[in-house]
């Protein structure tokens, strides 16, 4: 059943013994929601704990400060920033069938909970948690505020992307009334790079290829290259690489081609207006948004190149 | 004479024929202030124009859209984001002695205007222009809002740095009520890199040296290296390089050593808590802030290295 912020607040207030679930391969928004909500429920005298199928990346460990894991039998299961049961990872089998309340902001999603609060205008699910907090008159503190802020910052690229709204900034302003290390969090989220990541970026950038009068840039993440970095980078270091080619001035279509198997390549496409990345990827059976989309192509590297480039060229020509 | 927002608004309302001056080597804040203020004064039916001693970087050209240069004799000269007359560059000789109103947010500054509005708690001088606009009940539009937003974003690293306050976010929220291309501006300010800049970053990163158990990172911008990029990068491409070494995980002190002459090196130091960059640079006759400072050392590269490293090591030891 679809619910609203007011009702979601009531549901949380009138229940107890919460288990809050993040999606697998967790990012700052799902974790910020989970630990922020957990902290405020505990401050209301309730029992609450957080669970996630996967490890938390070291740079987001600080979010954990808000919560003391407690031994109690979970009665009320809440999922945060989870668009589909399957995204719970290993937790789906155990909890996926009995989610009481799902709080989410994804446009395309699967219904799986008894109650669902969804607002796709929210830049981050943490915006919804904040609205619920206001509705519940929940007490916040610096730690809870830092969790919710982390969600906003993560999903907006620190207020940089087009999903950022006035509301996002107003919530950030209200959260900053509490004391926490804003610039320290942003350093960890956006600026800090491991030595391995730095070298990986260099290797990838060195191999960047330009086509169509430098309006198309392609980088290749072959298994050979990834193997070279084995042990020097962790899985987190592979995040966000898809944005590299589009950063080059003049590039309208940026593609990151990641080898998934001997003859399987996953392509992430990022575009500038007016090229629609989703339409381009749909030609290969993929999909996504106007500025960011993806698809998979089976074949050799040469085959992938021979398939992609004419499509990119045609898309550019059609929009000249 | 020191003045406040209310009085500054009155001064602007009761005068006309404005010449608004940006500082030389202009950034997004000084230009955002100048074109934003110019636009709102024109909307009030006044004559106003902007002047700057130096060229505007191509990525900030869009700010110019707000203003139509007009032929009139300037009567009221206003400087924005200018901490010292000298920073007006070539315009100082002509106008520096007769500034009517200076609007600024720098902590250490020289008085040079008849009236001065200064607030060092403002993350950007554009915060002050916005406050004046509210006080004047000035009409804004998307173009004026995009100018003021550009100032906020520029000086806070898109709301990332510790100078960002609740007020900064509230002003951003109010500006976003007008229609302008927020993500497009942020792409130009923060993500877009020329091919030359990309190669320059690679060359610099490849030469990055680590010391003191990887807690110190140093990059070298020798004239030999800079000459290699002659014609492929412009002066703007050298901005922001000082933050590169500190981005590496675990680095507490990052230094960028830029060759200014055969035996003259300018060192930019960036530190993490608790190391005070200003104190470190003061040992070499330089200075600055706690997290960012600079100094100049005369001698060979080897001499610079032999001077810097023991000081860095000592600072780390003293804070262990």
């Amino acid at each position: 059943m679809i619910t609203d912020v007011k009702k979601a607040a009531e549901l949380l207030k009138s229940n107890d013994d919460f288990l809050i679930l993040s999606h697998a391969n967790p990012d700052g928004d799902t974790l910020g929601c989970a630990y922020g909500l957990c902290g405020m429920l505990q401050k209301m005298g309730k029992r609450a704990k957080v669970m996630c199928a996967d490890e938390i990346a070291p740079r987001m460990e600080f979010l954990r400060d808000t919560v003391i894991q407690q031994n109690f039998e979970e009665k009320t299961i809440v999922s945060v920033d989870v668009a589909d049961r399957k995204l719970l990872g290993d937790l789906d089998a155990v909890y996926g069938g009995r989610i009481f309340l799902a709080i989410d902001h994804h446009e395309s999603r699967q219904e799986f909970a008894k109650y669902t609060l969804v607002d796709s205008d929210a830049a981050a699910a943490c915006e919804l948690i904040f609205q619920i907090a206001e509705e519940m008159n929940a007490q916040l503190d610096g730690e809870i505020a830092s969790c919710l802020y982390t969600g906003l910052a993560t999903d907006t690229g620190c207020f940089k992307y087009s999903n950022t709204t006035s509301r996002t900034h107003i919530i950030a302003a209200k959260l900053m009334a509490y004391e926490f290390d804003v610039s320290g969090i942003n350093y960890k989220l956006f600026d800090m790079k491991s030595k391995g990541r730095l070298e990986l970026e260099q290797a990838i950038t060195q191999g960047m290829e330009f086509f169509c009068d430098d309006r198309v840039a392609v980088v290749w993440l072959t298994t050979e290259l990834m193997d070279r970095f084995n042990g020097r980078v962790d899985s987190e270091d592979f995040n966000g690489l898809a944005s590299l080619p589009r950063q080059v001035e003049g590039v309208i279509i940026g593609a990151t081609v990641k080898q998934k198997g001997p003859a399987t390549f996953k392509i992430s496409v990022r575009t500038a207006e007016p090229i629609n990345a989703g339409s381009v990827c749909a030609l290969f059976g993929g999909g996504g948004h106007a500025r960011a989309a993806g698809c998979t192509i089976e074949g050799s590297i040469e085959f992938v190149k021979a398939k992609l480039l004419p499509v990119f060229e045609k898309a550019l020509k059609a929009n000249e």
Side-chain angles (χ1 to χ4, degrees), chain A residues 116-156:
Chain A
T116 298
L117 170 66
V118 62
D119 179 356
S120 60
D121 289 335
C126 275
E127 286 193 14
L128 300 174
I129 303 292
F130 182 83
Q131 289 182 304
I132 291 172
E134 283 199 321
E135 186 66 39
M136 294 197 298
N137 267 319
Q139 260 196 300
L140 305 192
D141 57 27
E143 284 177 351
I144 295 170
S146 74
C147 290
L148 301 186
Y149 179 90
T150 298
L152 299 189
T154 300
D155 273 20
T156 59

Side-chain angles (χ1 to χ4, degrees), chain A residues 6 34 155 164:
Chain A
K6 200 173 147 84
D155 273 20
T164 311

Side-chain angles (χ1 to χ4, degrees), chain A residues 5 20 27 40 48 120 152 162 169 188 191 204 236 247 259 263 274 291 302 311 314:
Chain A
V5 168
I20 306 166
D27 60 14
M40 70 182 79
S120 60
L152 299 189
S162 58
H169 278 293
K188 282 181 194 154
D191 289 339
I204 290 171
E236 211 211 347
Q247 286 186 359
Q259 190 163 13
R291 299 283 84 79
E302 292 69 32
V311 167
K314 209 172 150 192

Side-chain angles (χ1 to χ4, degrees), chain A residues 32-267:
Chain A
C33 284
Y35 285 105
L37 179 60
C38 186
M40 70 182 79
L41 290 171
Q42 288 181 352
K43 259 178 124 67
M44 289 162 80
K46 294 176 185 290
R47 283 176 296 271
K49 59 185 173 187
V50 171
M51 234 184 244
C52 180
D54 295 322
E55 289 279 297
I56 298 179
R59 72 174 70 214
M60 288 188 294
E61 279 274 321
F62 70 92
L63 293 170
R64 269 208 170 119
D65 292 349
T66 49
V67 82
I68 303 136
Q69 290 289 347
Q70 292 175 74
N71 272 324
F72 61 86
E73 204 193 330
E74 52 262 7
K75 285 188 198 135
T76 316
I77 305 180
V78 180
S79 70
V80 286
D81 196 37
V82 179
D84 190 314
R85 270 183 63 162
K86 286 181 227 147
L87 298 173
L88 291 169
D90 291 346
L91 298 180
D92 180 27
V94 196
Y95 302 108
R98 51 193 186 100
I99 310 279
F100 176 70
L101 173 62
I103 302 168
D104 188 31
H105 71 126
H106 290 90
E107 202 155 347
S108 60
R109 66 187 311 285
Q110 295 292 323
E111 289 305 314
F112 55 81
K114 184 166 180 193
Y115 295 98
T116 298
L117 170 66
V118 62
D119 179 356
S120 60
D121 289 335
C126 275
E127 286 193 14
L128 300 174
I129 303 292
F130 182 83
Q131 289 182 304
I132 291 172
E134 283 199 321
E135 186 66 39
M136 294 197 298
N137 267 319
Q139 260 196 300
L140 305 192
D141 57 27
E143 284 177 351
I144 295 170
S146 74
C147 290
L148 301 186
Y149 179 90
T150 298
L152 299 189
T154 300
D155 273 20
T156 59
C158 211
F159 312 97
K160 220 162 55 178
Y161 303 147
S162 58
N163 60 350
T164 311
T165 65
S166 285
R167 179 170 76 180
T168 321
H169 278 293
I170 286 168
I171 295 173
K174 288 181 177 174
L175 291 172
M176 283 182 67
Y178 301 91
E179 209 165 309
F180 63 98
D181 182 12
V182 177
S183 62
I185 288 174
N186 287 327
Y187 171 73
K188 282 181 194 154
L189 293 178
F190 302 108
D191 289 339
M192 188 177 80
K193 289 176 187 178
S194 70
K195 260 175 129 170
R197 162 75 182 217
L198 202 71
E199 289 164 20
L200 178 66
E201 279 186 17
Q202 280 200 299
I204 290 171
T205 314
Q206 258 157 9
M208 197 183 290
E209 292 187 292
F210 294 90
F211 307 95
C212 307
D213 298 322
D214 290 356
R215 289 176 301 163
V216 171
V218 182
V219 298
W220 304 88
L221 270 163
T222 58
T223 44
E224 182 270 327
L225 185 141
M226 289 186 284
D227 285 350
R228 249 205 291 151
F229 283 91
N230 218 342
R232 280 194 292 154
V233 297
D234 54 33
S235 63
E236 211 211 347
D237 286 319
F238 286 99
N239 291 341
L241 293 172
S243 65
L244 288 182
R246 248 283 287 148
Q247 286 186 359
V248 181
E249 194 172 358
V251 170
I252 315 281
I253 303 177
T256 307
V257 183
K258 195 172 174 178
Q259 190 163 13
K260 288 298 200 182
T264 307
F265 294 86
K266 204 177 153 234
I267 295 106

